[in-house]
Amino acid sequence: MTEIKAFPGSRWWKIDFHTHTPASNNDYKDTTITPEVWLQRARDAGLDGIVVTDHNSGGWIDRLKSVNNTMNQQDGTRPLIIFPGVEINVADSSSRVHLLAVFDPSCDSQKITAVLGSCGITSDFGNDETTSTSTGFVDTVGKIKAANGIPIPAHIDIEKGLLHNHDTMPVELRKSLTQIYAAEFCDPNVFDQAHSDLRSVVDSLAKVGGSDAHNIDEIGRYFTWLKMSRPTIEGMRLALQDHQYCVKNQNEDPNTLPDIYLKQLSIINMHHCGRIPGKPCVVQLHPHFNAFIGGRGSGKSTIIESIRIVSRRDDELKDKLREDLEKFKKLAQNKEGVMLSSTELLLEIQRRSKTYRLRWQQSGQGLVVEEWLNDVWQGVDEGNIKERFPLRIYSQKQIYALASNPRGLLDIMDHSDEINRVEWTSRWKSTESRFLELRVRQRELHRQLAKESELRTKLKDIENDIRDYEEKGHGEILKLYQKLSQQKNTMPSDALFIQLSQEIRKLADKAALSDFPFHLFDLQDQTTQELQAIHDEAVNGVQQIALELKELAEKVDILKQQRHQKTLASQWFQSVQVSEKAYQGLVYEYADKGHATTMADYGKWVDLRGSLNQELLKMDALRNEMNDVQQEITALQNKFLELRQELLEKRKKFLAQVIGSNEYVRMELVPFGDVSSVEEEYRNILGLAGGIFADWIYNDNKKQSMLYQLVQWEIDCSQESQLTDRIAKIKTNTRQIAEGKISEGHANFNKRLKDLLENKPANFDQLDLWWPEDFLIVKYNRDPGEKNKFEPLEKGSAGQKAAAILAFLLSYGTEPMIIDQPEDDLDNALVYDLIVRQIHKNKLRRQLIIVTHNPNIVVNADAELVHVMAFKGLVKVDQQGGLEEQSIRNAICDIMEGGREAFKKRYDRLALEPSHV
C-alpha cells in the first residue's frame, strides 16, 4: 500500500528530541558504541528524525552525519534525519537548568561549538558536572535563536528542569517562559493542578518527548510526532508554534490514509492546459487537505471541472450550472468550450490497497476504468463508477442552491450508508407493486360479486317454475331427483384437494437454503468451520422438511382418491343413481305421451338451478377472498406508513450523529411536512395539470380548497402531528367526490373525478400511495457564542446560509470532498470559526480539496499541500508544497489578500520578517 511519505506536502515525522552519544563523556553508559550501531538503533526504533543533544558538546555530530548519509543511500535502509543539537547546562540564579538547542540538519559541529562559545562554554565539552554557561537562561535562549536554532527546556518538570519544584509563577520565571514556545515534558499532565497563571503558560507550550537516552537501548523510548513537509529547522519551528495541530505525543502512527482518495489528475491536450506533447498537466494530490490558490484565470476551476467530468458527476449539476459545464466540455473552436478532439483526462484513485484510473476522452473512445496490475494499467469492468469511487464536489453556487432549497440536503443525506435510500426504495417499490396488484384484484372481485343479486333473482324464478311443475303431480320421483341433484351439485369438488396438493409441492420445492458463501470466509478459520456446520445442519433440516411436505402432498392425493372411491361405494351415491334412472324413465314416459317440450324445460330448470347454486357457492369464496384482499391492502397501507417512519428515524439518527450539538447549525425533520410541491404532485397523480380547477384544488385565499389545510399548516402554526390526518382527509374526500358520496366543490370538478375513477381507477391507487416528503428545517446561529439562538435559515444573509450548509456538508462522510471557493459569501469570522475548525476535524478521516482565495482557509486550516496555480501561456501548477516552505508562504502572501495577516494570526509568537512571511 502507498505510504504517505510518497506524496508531496506535509506528513507526520517521528522524532526523538533528546538523545546522547558517547560525546556525553561523563555519564554515557557505553563509550564503545560506534556511529553505525548508534544510528541503526535509531532506525530500529522507527524514528524519522533524531535530535543529537550531548552535554555541552557537538563532538559526535559530524561523525554521525557522515555515516548517516552513507546509510541513507543504501537500498532498503530506513531514511533517518539528524538534527544537530546540544544540551546546555545553563547557570540560572542559584541552580543549573538544562536547555536543549536544536538546529537545522544542514548544520555541523562548528555551529554547536560557536553557540556554546557565545554562552561562555569554551572547554571541558561533554561534561555536565563541571561546565555551565556564563549567560543566564533568557540570554542563552537569545543566543540560540540568533543562531536560527530552537530553544527547548529539557525535562522541564523534573530535576534540572526549568519548572522543577515550581507551582506558581514568579516574575523571573515568567520572563524565562515568555522566551520559549516548546519544552520537553516527562509528565505532560504534571501541572494540571498548578496555579492558573503557571498552568496557562504551560498549556501554551508545545510538549515534546525525548528519551534523554544515555544508553543505546533507550533511544526512541519517548518521542513526538511533528507535522512537516520537509525535516528542516523552519518546518520544526512552525510545527511547534502550531502545536495544537502539528504536534502529537502518542504511540500510534498518525500517518493514516483514508480508505479512498484521489492521487493524481492528468490533463492531456486541452486547449489551454497540457498541450505540450509528452508533457501533460499533472497534479499530484495529498491524501488529506489540498488547497488550490491562484489569481483569476490561473486555472483553479479547470482542475475542479476536470475532476467532475472524469469522475462522471456531470448530472449532479442542475439548470444553469449544468449548462456552464456543457459549454466547458465543448470544442474550443466553438469559442465556448476548452476541449480539443484529442483531449484526455486521467484521474488516479487509491481505493484501499488498489489503485485505479478513470479515463475520459472527448472522442468518447477507449477504456473508462483501469486498474494498476503487474506494473501496467489494465482495463476492468466499469460497474457503477459513482458507487465504486464515491466523491463529493460542491461549488459555491451549488452550496447556495442547497441553502435556498434544503430538499437537496435530504438527497445528500439519503445517499449515506446510514440511511441507504436505494435499499429503502427497493422495499417501498416491492410493497407498492403488491399493493397495486391487490387493488386490481379487488376491483375484479367487486365486479364479480356485483352479479350476486342478479343470480339470486334468477334462482328464485327457476325455483318457482320447478315448484309449480312438481306440484302438478310428478310425485316423489321428481322431488327426490331434485333433492339428490342439489346435493350432488353442491358437494365440494376435488379442486380443493388438487390445489392443496399442488401448493404443498410448490412449498416443498421452495424449501431450500442457498449455498454457503465460501468466497467470503477463510476456510482455515475455525469459526468458519463452526458456522459451516451450523449451516449444513440447517440445510439438512430444511431438506427433511421438504421430504415431509412431499409425503404430506401424497397423503392429500390419497385422501382425494379415497374420498372419491368411498363416495362411489356409498348408499347415497346408489340412491343418486336410482333417482337419476327413475328420472330418465319419467323423461322417456313424457316423451312417449307427447310432452317432450315440457319435460325438457323441467330438465333445463333443474340443471340451471344446479349451475346457479354453483355460482352462488363461488360467491362465498369470492367474498372470503375479498375480505382477505382488503385485510392485506389495509396491512400494506400501514406498511407504507411504517416504511416512512423508518426512513424518518434513520434521517433523525443521522442528523443527531452528524449535527449533534453543532454550535452553528440545527436541522429538524417534520414528517410529511414538505408542501412545496404538494399541488404539483396532486395534480400529476390525477391528471389535472395546467392549473385547472384552481379554486377547488388550491387557492391560498380559499380555505375550502382541497389542499389548503395541508399547504398552510406551517403558516397556521398547526401541530406537526396533524399532518397525517390532513393528508388522509384529502385522499378520502377526493375518492368520495369521485364516488358521488359528497358533492362539495365545482360540478365540473366533481364530474372530472367521477370520470377518472370510472376510466382510470389506478390513479386513485397512486393517490393512496402518495405521501409528501419530510420537511427539513434548517436553522443557523447568528452568534455561535450564544446557545439557543437559532433562527430559520431563510432569515439569514447569503453568508450565514452558506455557513450553515457548509457546517452540514463538512460534518459527515469519509469520501473525498472537493469544494470550490466556499468563502465567497462568508466574512472572515465565519471562515475562521466555521470552515477552519471543520477542516481540521474532516481531514483526519477524509481527503479535502479546496479552491480558495481566503488565506485563513489555507494557513489556519493547515493545508498539507498547497498548489499554486498560474497561467503562463498554459494553465499549470507553478509550485506546490507545505506551509513551512518559504516559496509557498511567499506565494500565499503575494496572491491572497490578507495572507500576511493570516500567518501572523496563526504564528503570533513567531517573529517573521516581512520578506519571510
Side-chain angles (χ1 to χ4, degrees), residues 321-353:
L321 298 178
R322 181 66 179 270
E323 293 176 10
D324 292 343
L325 182 64
E326 291 303 319
K327 291 179 182 178
F328 181 85
K329 291 168 64 176
K330 289 183 178 180
L331 294 175
Q333 64 191 32
N334 296 328
K335 296 183 180 180
E336 289 183 333
V338 300
M339 301 295 180
L340 303 177
S341 58
S342 57
T343 298
E344 184 175 15
L345 304 175
L346 300 172
L347 180 64
E348 292 184 26
I349 301 177
Q350 188 73 29
R351 188 172 180 269
R352 298 184 180 91
S353 61

Side-chain angles (χ1 to χ4, degrees), residues 507-773:
L507 186 58
D509 292 340
K510 293 180 180 178
L513 289 180
S514 59
D515 293 339
F516 188 79
F518 289 101
H519 64 288
L520 298 177
F521 289 85
D522 181 359
L523 297 182
Q524 303 303 319
D525 190 336
Q526 289 183 353
T527 61
T528 299
Q529 296 173 9
E530 178 188 16
L531 187 59
Q532 182 185 350
I534 294 171
H535 177 79
D536 291 343
E537 181 182 355
V539 168
N540 293 335
V542 172
Q543 290 174 346
Q544 181 61 36
I545 291 172
L547 290 175
E548 293 173 358
L549 286 172
K550 290 178 180 179
E551 292 174 358
L552 188 59
E554 291 174 0
K555 289 182 179 180
V556 174
D557 292 339
I558 293 171
L559 182 60
K560 177 180 73 71
Q561 185 64 28
Q562 289 176 344
R563 173 179 176 269
H564 179 70
Q565 291 174 351
K566 289 180 179 180
T567 300
L568 294 180
S570 67
Q571 292 182 358
W572 172 84
F573 188 73
Q574 292 174 11
S575 299
V576 170
Q577 288 182 312
V578 171
S579 175
E580 289 178 346
K581 185 176 180 181
Y583 172 73
Q584 289 299 325
L586 188 60
V587 170
Y588 295 144
E589 178 184 342
Y590 269 80
D592 291 341
K593 293 179 179 180
H595 297 295
T597 302
T598 304
M599 200 62 211
D601 287 342
Y602 180 80
K604 290 179 181 178
W605 294 338
V606 172
D607 290 341
L608 182 56
R609 182 179 61 186
S611 64
L612 288 173
N613 278 319
Q614 285 287 349
E615 288 294 317
L616 289 171
L617 192 62
K618 290 180 181 178
M619 291 295 164
D620 291 334
L622 292 177
R623 222 175 347 263
N624 291 334
E625 184 181 355
M626 175 69 92
N627 290 334
D628 292 341
V629 167
Q630 182 57 55
Q631 288 179 9
E632 188 172 355
I633 286 175
T634 302
L636 290 178
Q637 288 175 319
N638 292 331
K639 179 65 175 178
F640 288 125
L641 287 174
E642 290 172 5
L643 284 170
R644 283 300 300 269
Q645 183 65 27
E646 175 191 328
L647 180 62
L648 176 69
E649 294 303 323
K650 284 185 175 181
R651 286 169 166 174
K652 285 183 175 180
K653 184 177 180 181
F654 177 85
L655 289 176
Q657 292 174 342
V658 170
I659 299 297
S661 57
N662 192 297
E663 58 184 331
Y664 300 98
V665 64
R666 286 282 186 274
M667 291 188 179
E668 302 168 3
L669 281 165
V670 179
F672 313 125
D674 187 351
V675 296
S676 60
S677 58
V678 158
E679 182 180 0
E680 179 184 0
E681 293 167 3
Y682 181 85
R683 288 180 174 277
N684 288 340
I685 291 172
L686 298 178
L688 301 173
I692 60 175
F693 306 124
D695 283 348
W696 305 107
I697 293 177
Y698 177 68
N699 184 328
D700 56 10
N701 292 317
K702 192 168 184 179
K703 293 185 177 181
Q704 292 76 22
S705 57
M706 187 74 69
L707 304 177
Y708 183 89
Q709 295 296 326
L710 177 59
V711 175
Q712 298 287 335
W713 75 267
E714 193 173 12
I715 297 175
D716 292 346
C717 300
S718 302
Q719 292 186 2
E720 300 168 4
S721 59
Q722 297 177 353
L723 288 174
T724 304
D725 292 338
R726 292 190 179 191
I727 297 165
K729 184 177 180 181
I730 290 171
K731 298 178 183 181
T732 301
N733 287 350
T734 303
R735 183 175 286 275
Q736 288 185 342
I737 290 174
E739 292 173 345
K741 294 179 179 179
I742 58 176
S743 58
E744 296 177 2
H746 194 274
N748 289 336
F749 176 61
N750 297 352
K751 183 177 183 303
R752 184 68 170 268
L753 291 182
K754 290 177 182 178
D755 291 343
L756 183 65
L757 181 60
E758 181 178 350
N759 299 309
K760 295 182 179 179
N763 290 47
F764 286 84
D765 299 340
Q766 294 294 339
L767 183 64
D768 286 337
L769 289 171
W770 170 66
W771 292 97
E773 180 58 272

Side-chain angles (χ1 to χ4, degrees), residues 156-175:
I156 193 171
D157 50 333
I158 63 173
E159 187 178 0
K160 297 184 180 178
L162 181 64
L163 297 181
H164 183 52
N165 290 332
H166 282 284
D167 57 8
T168 58
M169 182 72 76
V171 174
E172 191 64 27
L173 180 59
R174 180 185 296 276
K175 183 178 180 182

Side-chain angles (χ1 to χ4, degrees), residues 852-869:
T852 181
H853 296 294
N854 192 301
N856 284 309
I857 293 179
V858 182
V859 178
N860 291 296
D862 192 33
E864 273 76 13
L865 182 59
V866 180
H867 307 259
V868 182
M869 303 298 296

